[in-house]
Amino acid sequence: CRLERTFRLSATGLTIGDRVEGPGHPRAECFLHLHPAVELRARGREFDLRLPAGAQATIVTRPPAQVSVEAYRWSPGFGQTIPAQRIRIAHAGGRPLSLQTEVYFS
């Protein structure tokens, strides 16, 4: 199995592309781990983020994939953890498999 990840940064946001090739189970998952201070509001496959300083961002996943919000433990230092949230993006389909995650800043 081979994974290729690309990043494209523009004036308005960031696009993360993932491509999985090769034999094996045709399912892929990726996670976007958020800092505990980030507020998250889910709207289907889109997510609105509010950052501590008041900045905002929107995350959009393409193509249609299963998306969910999960709890995880963020670690600010050795032996320390704080509850936080992460976005789980799962896609099942034939290979090659492609996922695209777009982050727009406002």
Side-chain angles (χ1 to χ4, degrees):
C1 185
R2 181 175 154 249
L3 170 66
E4 178 181 301
R5 176 167 276 171
T6 58
F7 296 89
R8 285 193 325 263
L9 185 61
S10 71
T12 59
L14 171 69
T15 300
I16 305 166
D18 291 309
R19 183 174 172 90
V20 180
E21 296 179 344
H25 196 286
R27 181 170 175 78
E29 293 180 325
C30 66
F31 297 89
L32 302 173
H33 295 82
L34 305 176
H35 187 276
V38 173
E39 295 177 29
L40 173 69
R41 184 174 71 102
R43 295 183 293 119
R45 290 188 344 252
E46 296 186 14
F47 301 87
D48 294 324
L49 306 178
R50 177 164 295 174
L51 308 177
Q56 297 182 8
T58 299
I59 295 176
V60 180
T61 61
R62 302 180 198 286
Q66 294 176 342
V67 292
S68 58
V69 176
E70 301 178 342
Y72 85 103
R73 304 290 297 183
W74 179 77
S75 180
F78 185 74
Q80 302 171 343
T81 62
I82 298 172
Q85 294 180 305
R86 68 182 181 187
I87 299 170
R88 178 181 165 270
I89 304 166
H91 184 70
R95 296 278 173 100
L97 186 145
S98 294
L99 296 172
Q100 184 169 303
T101 304
E102 299 167 357
V103 182
Y104 298 103
F105 305 106
S106 51

